[in-house]
Amino acid sequence: MPKINGNEIRPGNVLEHNGGLWSAVKVDHVKPGKGGAFAQVELRNLRNGSKLNERFRSADKVERVRLEQKDMQFLFESDGMLTFMDAETYEQVELPAEILGERRPFLQDGMTITVEFHESEALNASLPQKVTCTVAETEPVVKGQTAANSFKPAVLDNGVKVMVPPFVGQDEEIVVNTETMEYSERA
């Protein structure tokens, strides 16, 4: 595995540190008036979700891990575990539902998502950037209210609340960005 210097750590990098696999969540480069510069890194454990703050000097060497990514199909959820299937080998993998966090409601039956593996262990899952949802309830469309750049609240069929433009009505399909959890466009 490649070793990188402490000042080369970027958010999203996966590192092997203290015998575990950690994902860099936030990286701040600090240059104090006295002493050498260092990177203050917030790490999240990929196996148990615990967090850790570490300082890495530029002379420190860290193991950077590359995760293998596979597209897998979501099958079902039971007892807080999500089951995914590899479309080529029909092999099934289970991951805890908390891994998706607040984006969990956007997961739909049969959806293809990206699962990240280290050796043969499934560690992480990420949704597609854009998902199509149906507006379950919102205020009615008012003619002539499109002059100002205003948004109105809407509840989607999965229970998530988003802000939508005034021209979007009830039972309409819209595309939602899963990273920002915001309205993107009409479907």
Side-chain angles (χ1 to χ4, degrees):
M1 277 181 265
K3 281 192 178 266
I4 61 171
N5 293 335
N7 61 351
E8 295 175 356
I9 299 171
R10 300 285 176 262
N13 285 3
V14 177
L15 311 171
E16 192 170 304
H17 180 65
N18 290 350
L21 285 176
W22 301 82
S23 174
V25 179
K26 206 161 108 182
V27 180
D28 288 323
H29 293 282
V30 182
K31 295 177 185 153
K34 193 173 184 183
F38 59 88
Q40 182 73 36
V41 183
E42 185 180 314
L43 300 167
R44 183 178 57 84
N45 191 311
L46 289 175
R47 290 193 172 98
N48 60 22
S50 63
K51 289 203 172 179
L52 173 73
N53 276 315
E54 281 286 337
R55 281 185 178 181
F56 294 100
R57 302 214 171 272
S58 59
D60 296 343
K61 295 282 188 196
V62 190
E63 292 275 344
R64 182 168 174 208
V65 180
R66 295 217 185 267
L67 297 179
E68 180 188 342
Q69 295 185 331
K70 265 190 194 170
D71 284 344
M72 299 188 93
Q73 185 178 10
F74 172 65
L75 296 178
F76 59 89
E77 178 179 6
S78 67
D79 300 326
M81 296 297 280
L82 304 174
T83 304
F84 302 99
M85 180 184 70
D86 188 331
E88 295 167 13
T89 63
Y90 301 108
E91 180 184 330
Q92 292 185 5
V93 172
E94 280 192 338
L95 284 168
E98 306 94 58
I99 209 155
L100 294 175
E102 59 189 23
R103 290 162 181 74
R104 166 65 190 96
F106 290 109
L107 189 62
Q108 299 163 352
D109 288 341
M111 179 181 274
T112 301
I113 68 153
T114 305
V115 178
E116 294 180 322
F117 290 88
H118 178 256
E119 288 161 2
S120 61
E121 178 187 12
L123 292 174
N124 202 1
S126 55
L127 291 169
Q129 189 177 356
K130 294 190 175 182
V131 175
T132 303
C133 299
T134 306
V135 176
E137 61 182 71
T138 188
E139 297 167 10
V141 178
V142 178
K143 289 227 183 274
Q145 196 182 7
T146 55
N149 188 8
S150 62
F151 282 78
K152 63 183 181 180
V155 178
L156 304 177
D157 54 354
N158 57 13
V160 176
K161 292 183 175 128
V162 295
M163 298 299 282
V164 296
F167 57 79
V168 174
Q170 195 166 324
D171 300 325
E172 257 187 80
E173 290 200 338
I174 61 168
V175 176
V176 178
N177 184 330
T178 57
E179 290 172 8
T180 60
M181 308 232 344
E182 294 175 346
Y183 168 86
S184 179
E185 61 193 2
R186 275 185 167 160

